[in-house]
Amino acid sequence: MMDCRQLQQCIDDYLDGVLPSGELRLAETHLAGCTDCQSQIKQIQELRHALRSLPVPAPSPDFSRRVLARARHQQQRHQRVWGGLASAMAACLVIWIGVALYQPATHSPGIDAIIMGISETRKVKLVFNAPDNFQQVTLQLKLSDNIELAGFTGRKEIEWQTALKKGANTLVLPVTATADGQAELVAHIKHQGKIRTFRIPLTVRKSDAKLQSGQIPVTV
Amino acid sequence: MVIRLFGAKADGQFEQLIEPHLNHLYQLAFRFCNNQADAEDLVQDVVIKLLPRTQEMAGIEKVRPWLAKVLYHQFIDHYRQQNRSPLGLVTAGDDGLSEFAAPGEENPESHAETGLSQKRLLAALQTLNTDQRAVVLLHDVEGYTLTELENILDSPQGTLKSRLSRARTQLREYLQKN
């Protein structure tokens, strides 16, 4: 004989039709005389039916072809971009990429130190120009002792995972200066065991020097 | 030194293996994301991830549950990733730190074409946690057996059964109240 508790334990196998024949007979015998379990079975079946009737809209036109083509395209891109990176890394452990700092009036081909005053918080934008979508990218930020990121007081190292979309990806960093002197914000981008490092120098002055606001475009 | 990031050659083998399952993957992705664009993106991410695993996929006996597992893990990775990021990566032109909405938390009201009961059902599904929703969607909606789900969700059957039972109770209670 099967009781209600035992039926509960095999109710999904019963409904899935995978209950072994011996247990199936016991379950059916129990169900024939138990209105509570009959009711429960009925409720589950109704719920399943309702859930299965939830519509799924068709994907956009040409979905399959597009998905497959994009995967192949991405494959080729990765081979070019990260293959080249790997080659370069054979000669140099950490690649140091020159980045340009756009300023309202001038455009410097290299990196000029960002100048800011103590206790100022300004947004520094890093624009990552990715040639394609990159999944599972790890971004790591390291800050020298005299700067902090607003909202992350005392943290000198922050790391998280994200994805880079094809094109410009802007990372907005609210940088606060805590003491005068030279400072450095280092951003590491890690992907599939490879790493690229970007160094952004800052100069913190005691006076109320204004931060050169602008965007720092880098190419991944 | 050149690292080969992807092992599949463009000989069409990958396409032959994956194409018959793309619609199912999309359907599954839509169940998780409840949004067409996100579902398509999720499938795209999965396909990109699978391309270098062509040979592995060719050796899989039951491809569909295996694909469901890859898709589910991709969904979960993405979901956790978005919740873990201390800073948002935003697209150019957006000055603020982005707030990523968790996939699957779409407003059911956006599906205006669905009937009231479907709206309520979708809303009820949103009350489940990620684990509960996964087991309900994969088992009760898509029809994967608990044996298959043991592998897909990396959980023992006992856990899945109790998760399923609690999820159904929660769904019923929500539907009765609302």
Side-chain angles (χ1 to χ4, degrees):
Chain A
M1 276 294 286
M2 184 178 275
D3 59 23
C4 293
R5 187 183 57 80
Q6 289 169 318
L7 185 88
Q8 294 298 319
Q9 289 173 344
C10 65
I11 199 165
D12 287 301
D13 288 339
Y14 172 77
L15 287 166
D16 289 348
V18 294
L19 208 55
S21 56
E23 286 182 62
L24 179 62
R25 276 195 298 276
L26 291 173
E28 285 174 338
T29 305
H30 174 80
L31 279 168
C34 179
T35 52
D36 286 348
C37 287
Q38 282 175 24
S39 170
Q40 190 178 1
I41 294 270
K42 191 180 171 199
Q43 281 182 343
I44 293 173
Q45 285 174 326
E46 284 173 354
L47 184 62
R48 275 190 185 188
H49 178 73
L51 286 167
R52 286 179 183 178
S53 70
L54 287 172
V56 175
S60 53
D62 217 14
F63 170 67
S64 296
R65 189 203 58 76
R66 208 161 14 88
V67 162
L68 293 171
R70 199 169 292 166
R72 284 291 182 193
H73 179 69
Q74 175 114 336
Q75 175 193 37
Q76 289 160 2
R77 286 277 197 173
H78 271 262
Q79 283 171 343
R80 280 203 296 270
V81 174
W82 294 101
L85 174 60
S87 299
M89 285 186 70
C92 179
L93 183 63
V94 177
I95 293 193
W96 209 96
I97 301 294
V99 298
L101 170 65
Y102 286 119
Q103 296 175 2
T106 61
H107 170 216
S108 168
I111 309 175
D112 292 336
I114 294 171
I115 301 169
M116 59 191 300
I118 296 174
S119 299
E120 280 192 332
T121 299
R122 296 296 173 90
K123 286 179 181 175
V124 175
K125 292 181 186 176
L126 293 176
V127 183
F128 298 98
N129 288 308
D132 213 322
N133 295 324
F134 292 107
Q135 302 297 322
Q136 299 290 324
V137 174
T138 300
L139 280 177
Q140 185 186 52
L141 299 175
K142 290 184 178 177
L143 301 101
S144 54
D145 289 342
N146 55 342
I147 55 171
E148 290 181 340
L149 288 186
F152 298 91
T153 305
R155 289 183 64 179
K156 296 298 167 192
E157 193 172 313
I158 300 169
E159 181 178 303
W160 72 100
Q161 282 201 322
T162 189
L164 291 180
K165 291 184 178 177
K166 183 180 180 181
N169 300 262
T170 303
L171 179 62
V172 183
L173 301 173
V175 178
T176 303
T178 56
D180 62 333
Q182 297 303 312
E184 191 177 51
L185 170 64
V186 182
H188 296 296
I189 301 179
K190 301 172 186 174
H191 183 263
Q192 296 186 347
K194 305 295 170 288
I195 183 170
R196 278 192 169 188
T197 300
F198 305 96
R199 298 176 187 276
I200 295 94
L202 299 97
T203 300
V204 182
R205 292 181 180 167
K206 287 179 182 174
S207 62
D208 256 347
K210 293 294 181 189
L211 169 73
Q212 302 161 6
S213 64
Q215 294 189 343
I216 302 172
V218 294
T219 300
V220 178
Chain B
M1 179 177 67
V2 175
I3 304 291
R4 190 178 181 86
L5 293 167
F6 293 93
K9 296 174 185 174
D11 58 2
Q13 184 190 14
F14 175 72
E15 284 79 359
Q16 283 175 13
L17 286 169
I18 194 76
E19 198 162 10
H21 303 286
L22 282 179
N23 281 342
H24 177 66
L25 280 175
Y26 165 77
Q27 177 170 314
L28 208 50
F30 185 88
R31 299 287 191 201
F32 286 133
C33 301
N34 199 26
N35 170 290
Q36 185 192 26
D38 289 346
E40 290 187 1
D41 285 349
L42 180 57
V43 175
Q44 181 72 73
D45 290 345
V46 167
V47 171
I48 287 170
K49 208 168 191 173
L50 288 174
L51 185 49
R53 299 172 68 181
T54 302
Q55 293 311 313
E56 181 187 353
M57 193 162 57
I60 301 291
E61 191 181 346
K62 291 185 176 179
V63 177
R64 192 160 281 206
W66 185 80
L67 290 173
K69 181 173 185 169
V70 174
L71 184 128
Y72 174 71
H73 283 271
Q74 181 69 25
F75 170 74
I76 289 298
D77 285 349
H78 182 71
Y79 179 84
R80 287 184 181 147
Q81 187 182 94
Q82 305 296 28
N83 285 340
R84 194 168 52 223
S85 300
L87 294 170
L89 197 60
V90 299
T91 54
D94 185 347
D95 268 352
L97 300 180
S98 71
E99 293 289 336
F100 288 100
E105 292 185 358
E106 279 279 312
N107 182 353
E109 295 294 323
S110 66
H111 295 264
E113 74 279 9
T114 60
L116 180 63
S117 62
Q118 288 173 344
K119 283 184 185 175
R120 284 169 58 217
L121 259 181
L122 286 169
L125 281 170
Q126 303 311 312
T127 68
L128 303 179
N129 65 37
T130 311
D131 290 337
Q132 289 175 326
R133 198 156 60 226
V135 75
V136 167
L137 291 175
L138 288 166
H139 183 267
D140 283 359
V141 182
E142 291 299 324
Y144 286 95
T145 66
L146 288 171
T147 306
E148 288 171 327
L149 290 185
E150 261 189 314
N151 184 257
I152 293 172
L153 300 175
D154 292 323
S155 296
Q157 278 204 32
T159 304
L160 294 174
K161 283 181 180 178
S162 56
R163 198 177 285 167
L164 201 49
S165 175
R166 279 196 298 272
R168 287 181 187 138
T169 303
Q170 196 170 316
L171 287 174
R172 276 199 298 273
E173 285 175 356
Y174 180 91
L175 292 169
Q176 282 165 5
K177 284 179 190 171
N178 297 275

